[in-house]
Amino acid sequence: MGVPEWLGDIPTWIGAGGAIGAAWFAYQTIKSQRQQIGEQQEFIAEQSQFMAEQMRFMGEQQQNLELERAELKAQAEERRVEQSKQVKMEFRSAGSSRIDEFGEPNGFDHWFVKVTNSSSDPIHDVTVRFGDTYNAASAYDRLAMHPDPGRRPVPVQLIPAGGQFAFTSPLWSEATVENNRPALLFTAANGIRWRLDSYGKLEEVSSEDG
């Protein structure tokens, strides 16, 4: 008994079976590839998120370090200027009993400057400069009991903690007094040289400047 015609011949069936098998294999291959691609994309996304979190963490750490450095720098700067801020200068123009050629009082003819070291450490090499060139003519230890009111050479080598000295300028005309305002120069305990002007501006200077 022969194979029914509607079933076709055997080679056709074999060929069809091979095509179906190839199609199934291709389908499985594509499916597997798509699955691998999906897993790779998921892995890449997870890695990207991890890297983003790491970068954010590193950025926060860097920011914290910068803030800490700024705070330490500010603290160091505060310690550097702490003593100098406790040194005060008060001043006024003053007149003597000198009489001019017309028999009138000569008015203001010098500066009187009071320097107070309110810090807990001494200051050194202290002087007052008037204008750009004139140094104090005299200095007095206002807390010392001396026959000569505690007169000291200028510059004063040391003003102790809590010490107070008075400085006077040379005698000038009133116009010269007005044009040569006082500025205090001193060296703090940490060795830094400072200048405090009559407007309250405090600045570090080199030893050659004062």
Side-chain angles (χ1 to χ4, degrees):
M1 184 175 179
V3 177
E5 292 182 2
W6 61 271
L7 291 176
D9 55 21
I10 292 176
T12 300
W13 276 100
I14 293 174
I20 292 171
W24 176 256
F25 179 78
Y27 168 76
Q28 292 296 328
T29 300
I30 293 171
K31 181 180 178 181
S32 176
Q33 290 176 343
R34 285 178 177 175
Q35 184 178 355
Q36 291 177 2
I37 291 171
E39 292 173 352
Q40 290 175 353
Q41 290 175 339
E42 183 178 353
F43 175 77
I44 291 171
E46 291 175 352
Q47 289 297 307
S48 297
Q49 183 179 358
F50 174 76
M51 291 299 294
E53 291 175 354
Q54 287 293 102
M55 292 296 291
R56 184 167 57 252
F57 175 75
M58 291 175 64
E60 292 174 353
Q61 289 292 97
Q62 181 66 25
Q63 186 177 14
N64 290 337
L65 285 173
E66 290 175 358
L67 289 173
E68 288 176 4
R69 289 194 191 102
E71 179 66 20
L72 289 173
K73 184 177 180 181
Q75 291 175 2
E77 178 63 17
E78 181 62 26
R79 288 194 298 271
R80 194 176 73 92
V81 302
E82 181 178 8
Q83 184 192 15
S84 62
K85 287 183 176 180
Q86 297 178 65
V87 178
K88 306 299 181 183
M89 177 180 69
E90 301 172 71
F91 56 91
R92 60 180 172 83
S93 52
S96 68
S97 58
R98 292 193 309 170
I99 303 298
D100 64 19
E101 65 266 32
F102 302 104
E104 298 293 332
N106 205 30
F108 298 129
D109 60 8
H110 71 282
W111 287 102
F112 176 85
V113 180
K114 182 173 70 175
V115 176
T116 304
N117 177 18
S118 300
S119 75
S120 57
D121 293 296
I123 56 177
H124 306 271
D125 195 18
V126 186
T127 191
V128 175
R129 182 165 296 166
F130 301 91
D132 294 327
T133 55
Y134 301 105
N135 290 324
S138 59
Y140 300 88
D141 186 346
R142 292 174 60 84
L143 301 182
M145 301 300 294
H146 284 249
D148 60 350
R151 185 163 183 165
R152 297 287 187 273
V154 181
V156 174
Q157 293 304 308
L158 183 147
I159 298 181
Q164 190 177 86
F165 268 67
F167 294 81
T168 58
S169 72
L171 297 178
W172 294 314
S173 68
E174 190 166 355
T176 304
V177 171
E178 292 176 354
N179 292 327
N180 291 276
R181 295 175 66 84
L184 171 64
L185 294 156
F186 65 96
T187 300
N190 59 8
I192 298 175
R193 187 74 172 160
W194 296 98
R195 181 180 187 273
L196 176 64
D197 70 14
S198 59
Y199 300 100
K201 181 182 178 181
L202 179 69
E203 60 182 345
E204 183 179 345
V205 296
S206 66
S207 56
E208 289 80 10
D209 295 330

